[in-house]
Amino acid sequence: MPILCDRLLKLKEMFNSKFGSIPKFYVRAPGRVNIIGEHIDYCGYSVLPMAVEQDMLIAVEPVKTHILQLANTNPLYPDFTTSANNIQIDKTKPLWHNYFLCGFKGIQEHFGLSDLTGMNCLVDGNIPPSSGLSSSSALVCCAGLLTLTVLGMSLSKVELAEICAKSERYIGTEGGGMDQSISFLAEEGTAKLIEFSPLRATDVKLPSGAVFVIANSCVEMNKAATSHFNIRVMECRLAAKLLAKHKSLPWKEVLRLEEVQAKLGISLEEMLLITEDALHPEPYSPEEICKCLGISLQELKTQILSPNTQDVLTFKLYQRAKHVYSEAARVLQFKKICEETPDNMVQLLGELMNQSHMSCRDMYECSCPELDQLVDICRKFGAQGSRLTGAGWGGCTVSIVPADKLSSFLANVHEAYYQRSNRSLAPEKESLFATKPGGGALVFLEA
């Protein structure tokens, strides 16, 4: 904790010079790395993340006015001031302060409050932005927790996670809730299997003979600024509806692929066989989807698709469903191996991570050339498994590396990926680092 203490003291000084007063308390929420289970939380399936040591830290002072003043220690993020009772979130611009406003508004709406006190807040984050380590969700969670604290209200960690997951959708991202859940439910020293409906977290003890290493591809990906992410969410929704129709289920109420499996009461392996049978690998046009479901184009656009996916011309349903059902099975296999601790545990876990990357690259198409290159380099220099983590299309990879190979692995990957392509401009610590499971969100009363 000494580094955190230094950061708190520095934040206190900066807060004083910015606002001319001392913070009343501080809130921290960590970023996360998803070890396995990519793009399946919003389909209703379990995921296996852990919190990282990097986090968002906010110094807070409630004030008597109704003014919300937000500032950031990073000069790239400009100050923002608004009325606490008139929160407007612009979906067209995923600016940093909008993520804060999501968390603030989520708590405000949960309690049905209209007359909110103002506050001065100074934000300090050391999670690399747009890297797939969940800096934006950490900011939403921080804002939710500090708003709750200022109001003197209390909620369970699970309730907070659910409110923050829901409120991040104000920015236009149709996420599934993994990021907010691990930010609140994380515990030092253990990864978590996060399950949904109802939300719950189970400890997963990672192998002691291996280290998880995060490597940033230095290609930035902002989920809220691009349509890739939301198109995948809709492709999964459409696949679920077509599979449900194929099996004569009430498809109109089905939103997630997991619901189809639950209604049929069959295994993931059987769902993969049904997908082969019911869907074709060629992309579907909106017209073909309408024909399959017996609805009009207008109904498809207004009742099923999200506003930012209404003009999409083709949907790959077979590939997305194949990825989701196979990835959901890999998560359960990963947990089982961690519990059974076979001698070749690291190798087996690595193979699952490699299969996950292949599926993300080929079936979900959420990789990019830099991520594929970085994964290859990591495997070449000793990783037993390596895969993209976070939404993809840029951001980071996560690799499982035998502990005795760590120092040579870091040196070789640094030279092969960062030095050769002049990517070493990124701060060293942010580009390539070993990580261990960190703790969840906290409130500090003193610096």
Side-chain angles (χ1 to χ4, degrees):
M1 293 293 268
I3 295 172
L4 184 57
C5 292
D6 290 348
R7 273 179 70 209
L8 285 170
L9 288 169
K10 203 169 157 193
L11 195 55
K12 185 178 184 176
E13 284 170 22
M14 289 178 82
F15 189 98
N16 193 8
S17 65
K18 177 84 190 169
F19 296 112
S21 52
I22 301 295
K24 287 284 180 290
F25 65 93
Y26 306 80
V27 175
R28 122 177 238 278
R32 62 95 192 96
V33 58
N34 189 22
I35 301 170
I36 197 159
E38 214 57 67
H39 284 282
I40 62 173
D41 59 339
Y42 54 76
C43 297
Y45 283 110
S46 308
V47 288
L48 214 153
M50 67 181 182
V52 292
E53 290 146 333
Q54 286 83 349
D55 58 22
M56 282 288 167
L57 202 54
I58 306 184
V60 189
E61 179 197 23
V63 291
K64 297 263 191 302
T65 66
H66 294 292
I67 301 298
L68 199 55
Q69 286 199 82
L70 309 179
N72 200 304
T73 58
N74 185 333
L76 289 175
Y77 303 119
D79 293 1
F80 179 77
T81 303
T82 189
S83 162
N85 296 318
N86 184 28
I87 299 295
Q88 307 287 328
I89 298 170
D90 185 353
K91 280 188 184 182
T92 63
K93 297 188 187 83
L95 300 168
W96 79 273
H97 61 257
N98 281 334
Y99 291 97
F100 183 102
L101 297 179
C102 284
F104 183 87
K105 187 175 177 179
I107 297 296
Q108 181 186 18
E109 294 199 339
H110 177 78
F111 288 108
L113 303 169
S114 55
D115 195 29
L116 274 171
T117 182
M119 52 183 121
N120 296 332
C121 297
L122 180 60
V123 177
D124 180 54
N126 60 6
I127 309 167
S130 301
S131 64
L133 299 179
S134 223
S135 56
S136 50
S137 295
L139 182 50
V140 174
C141 292
C142 250
L145 183 54
L146 72 84
T147 307
L148 189 73
T149 308
V150 166
L151 293 170
M153 306 278 205
S154 66
L155 289 168
S156 71
K157 288 179 180 181
V158 166
E159 288 171 313
L160 260 170
E162 289 181 326
I163 290 166
C164 289
K166 200 169 120 195
S167 69
E168 193 166 327
R169 294 178 195 143
Y170 295 137
I171 206 119
T173 309
E174 302 274 340
M178 165 179 60
D179 303 347
Q180 301 80 5
S181 303
I182 191 66
S183 199
F184 284 113
L185 302 173
E187 287 179 77
E188 211 165 317
T190 180
K192 295 277 184 180
L193 179 80
I194 306 266
E195 298 170 88
F196 303 97
S197 307
L199 178 61
R200 58 210 182 277
T202 313
D203 289 0
V204 177
K205 191 168 174 12
L206 299 171
S208 53
V211 181
F212 287 89
V213 178
I214 295 169
N216 193 344
S217 70
C218 303
V219 176
E220 291 200 351
M221 157 58 185
N222 186 317
K223 278 196 300 200
T226 60
S227 59
H228 299 304
F229 184 87
N230 285 341
I231 290 170
R232 293 297 179 279
V233 177
M234 287 307 130
E235 286 174 321
C236 290
R237 182 176 295 180
L238 292 168
K241 289 184 180 294
L242 263 67
L243 288 169
K245 181 93 192 291
H246 178 78
K247 297 304 280 183
S248 305
L249 295 171
W251 63 268
K252 284 191 175 177
E253 62 198 49
V254 169
L255 290 175
R256 297 185 180 92
L257 286 163
E258 185 274 335
E259 293 166 28
V260 183
Q261 185 199 356
K263 285 182 194 303
L264 293 173
I266 60 176
S267 69
L268 287 161
E269 290 66 30
E270 287 171 294
M271 279 312 308
L272 283 164
L273 294 173
I274 288 172
T275 301
E276 292 280 350
D277 192 33
L279 302 175
H280 56 67
E282 298 76 30
Y284 287 73
S285 66
E287 290 73 18
E288 186 182 359
I289 290 165
C290 290
K291 194 175 162 195
C292 292
L293 295 176
I295 57 172
S296 69
L297 205 52
Q298 185 63 18
E299 284 173 298
L300 174 69
K301 288 188 174 184
T302 56
Q303 290 171 27
I304 300 175
L305 298 178
S306 60
N308 52 7
T309 57
Q310 288 178 1
D311 299 322
V312 177
L313 299 175
T314 57
F315 298 94
K316 291 188 178 180
L317 309 189
Y318 168 87
Q319 292 84 343
R320 310 317 183 216
K322 287 268 287 194
H323 166 76
V324 169
Y325 289 130
S326 64
E327 186 78 348
R330 282 187 284 273
V331 170
L332 300 180
Q333 287 169 292
F334 196 100
K335 178 176 182 271
K336 190 164 179 266
I337 293 165
C338 288
E339 286 167 348
E340 293 173 356
T341 64
D343 292 342
N344 60 340
M345 179 179 184
V346 176
Q347 181 200 331
L348 293 173
L349 296 178
E351 283 168 9
L352 288 172
M353 291 171 72
N354 289 338
Q355 288 167 20
S356 171
H357 184 76
M358 233 158 50
S359 183
C360 285
R361 183 190 67 202
D362 302 336
M363 302 307 278
Y364 220 72
E365 296 175 282
C366 62
S367 190
C368 67
E370 293 85 352
L371 281 171
D372 294 338
Q373 184 196 357
L374 187 48
V375 159
D376 289 344
I377 288 169
C378 289
R379 288 179 194 158
K380 180 182 171 185
F381 290 117
Q384 290 282 312
S386 188
R387 57 179 292 276
L388 66 84
T389 186
W393 298 287
C396 290
T397 62
V398 58
S399 303
I400 187 169
V401 181
D404 57 357
K405 289 188 180 167
L406 179 63
S407 55
S408 65
F409 174 84
L410 293 172
N412 287 325
V413 172
H414 178 71
E415 189 192 346
Y417 188 75
Y418 298 98
Q419 283 185 330
R420 286 194 190 158
S421 55
N422 207 20
R423 292 190 185 96
S424 53
L425 299 173
E428 181 74 14
K429 184 77 177 132
E430 291 187 0
S431 298
L432 181 68
F433 53 92
T435 190
K436 48 187 190 288
L442 288 172
V443 176
F444 300 93
L445 295 176
E446 271 302 315

